[in-house]
Every structure is written in structure tokens, then in C-alpha cells.
Amino acid sequence: MLTAADPLPSLPRRVLVAGVSGSGKTTLAGRIGARLGIPHTELDGLHHGPGWRPRPQFLDDVRTLASGECWVTEWQYAAARPLLTVRADLLVWLDLPFPLTLSRLVVRTVRRRLRREVLWHGNIEPPLHTILTDREHVVRWAIAGRHKLEHRVPATLAEFPHLVGVRLRSRRDVERWVAGLPD
């Protein structure tokens, strides 16, 4: 697995960004797309339908995305991961300290709720008290699943030898790595 200091062996055309909620997957995916001149598709936008229900065409949309010649997206949703991974040529793992990602997630969640920001398909963050009452709330989900990528990413890289992996462990790593991408 490469680090922020290592050069990429080739120019990536299909890029996945992994990380826990709040790590900055979507932000980094957008930056990678802009830097490399390839489109970024936000996977949450394909997944979430009105009322936070999964869109029935989600996996068909993921298959269409994966079949494209170039793209950047987030590596999430168990059913979508294999469809994307088999076609990707780069997996960037945002392995930032959990206190940082958790604080980002909480701030983002509170900001979105207080501002009633409209997200995918008209959804807004639920009331803040649901952090305590909803087992599927994004903050609780992030806490419960914070260690899953420690196994999942290395196992995936072993299973898909064509896939180049880059592990970024700090904000400084992220900035250094992005600065090293060709424009």
C-alpha cells in the first residue's frame, strides 16, 4: 500500500475513496476529480431517495457508473463496493484519527440540521435527539463501524491485485498527496 509520499504507478481513471463517515470522502473525491479532470459521482446521491429510503435503481446506477471509462466516487454501501472495486484502478483510504472524523461528523450533522440543509432528493438531517434514539443514525453508525476498514481495505487490496491502494493518515498527508497529483 502506498503512502502520501509515494508516486502513483500510473494515472488513475477510476478512483474510489474509502473512509469512515466524517473523514472527508466526498470532499476528497471531488478534489481528485477536479485535479484529474474526471467526473465525481456522489454515491449518497445515487443511494438515498425521498424519506431516506434507498432508491430501487441504486445498484443499476452503480453498474452504469462502474462501466464508465473514468470516474471518482466514494467506496461505501456493501452491495455497491464489489461492483465498483472490480473496475477501479485506485483506492484511496482516508485513515484519519477517529476523534478528528467524529468531531467533523458531529459538526456537519448539527450544521445540516440547524440550517435544515436539503440533501439528496429533498432529505434533511433528522432531529438531533435521534442521535440517542435511532440505532441507524449516522453518528452512531460511524462509532459502531469505525474499525471495519482496518480489515476491509487490506483484504480488498489482496483480493484485487490490479487495484493500487493509498493510505492517508492525516490532513497533512491528504494535502501532500493531492498536491502531487497531475493536473
Side-chain angles (χ1 to χ4, degrees):
M1 186 167 331
L2 303 176
T3 68
D6 299 321
L8 292 174
S10 62
L11 183 66
R13 303 304 297 155
R14 292 176 299 278
V15 182
L16 295 168
V17 180
V20 299
S21 293
S23 63
K25 292 183 302 294
T26 301
T27 300
L28 180 58
R31 290 178 69 191
I32 293 169
R35 186 76 183 222
L36 298 177
I38 57 180
H40 166 230
T41 299
E42 190 173 352
L43 217 55
D44 280 334
L46 298 181
H47 182 263
H48 295 295
W52 293 106
R53 287 183 302 278
R55 295 173 59 247
Q57 64 271 41
F58 171 61
L59 291 179
D60 289 336
D61 290 345
V62 171
R63 284 184 194 92
T64 299
L65 170 64
S67 71
E69 286 304 309
C70 56
W71 42 262
V72 180
T73 195
E74 302 80 20
W75 194 58
Q76 53 192 19
Y77 301 108
R81 276 190 211 105
L83 301 172
L84 295 164
T85 305
V86 73
R87 291 273 298 144
D89 48 33
L90 177 64
L91 174 62
V92 180
W93 178 16
L94 284 172
D95 188 18
L96 305 178
F98 187 69
L100 171 64
T101 61
L102 182 60
S103 67
R104 284 179 174 179
L105 180 60
V106 169
V107 167
R108 181 186 80 189
T109 301
V110 170
R111 182 194 74 237
R112 284 177 173 175
R113 178 59 192 174
L114 293 178
R115 293 180 180 172
R116 301 187 62 76
E117 290 179 26
V118 178
L119 302 169
W120 316 277
H121 302 280
N123 293 307
I124 60 171
E125 292 285 352
L128 294 175
H129 72 82
T130 59
I131 292 172
L132 303 174
T133 60
D134 181 0
R135 297 171 69 104
E136 296 297 314
H137 191 281
V138 67
V139 173
R140 291 179 70 173
W141 185 85
I143 292 168
R146 68 187 176 275
H147 297 295
K148 289 182 179 178
L149 292 177
E150 292 170 9
H151 169 72
R152 186 174 290 146
V153 171
T156 298
L157 293 173
E159 182 180 351
F160 295 90
H162 75 279
L163 192 58
V164 174
V166 176
R167 187 177 191 176
L168 305 175
R169 295 175 172 249
S170 68
R171 289 184 277 195
R172 185 176 178 186
D173 278 358
V174 171
E175 294 309 317
R176 179 180 187 177
W177 186 79
V178 169
L181 288 174
D183 357 349

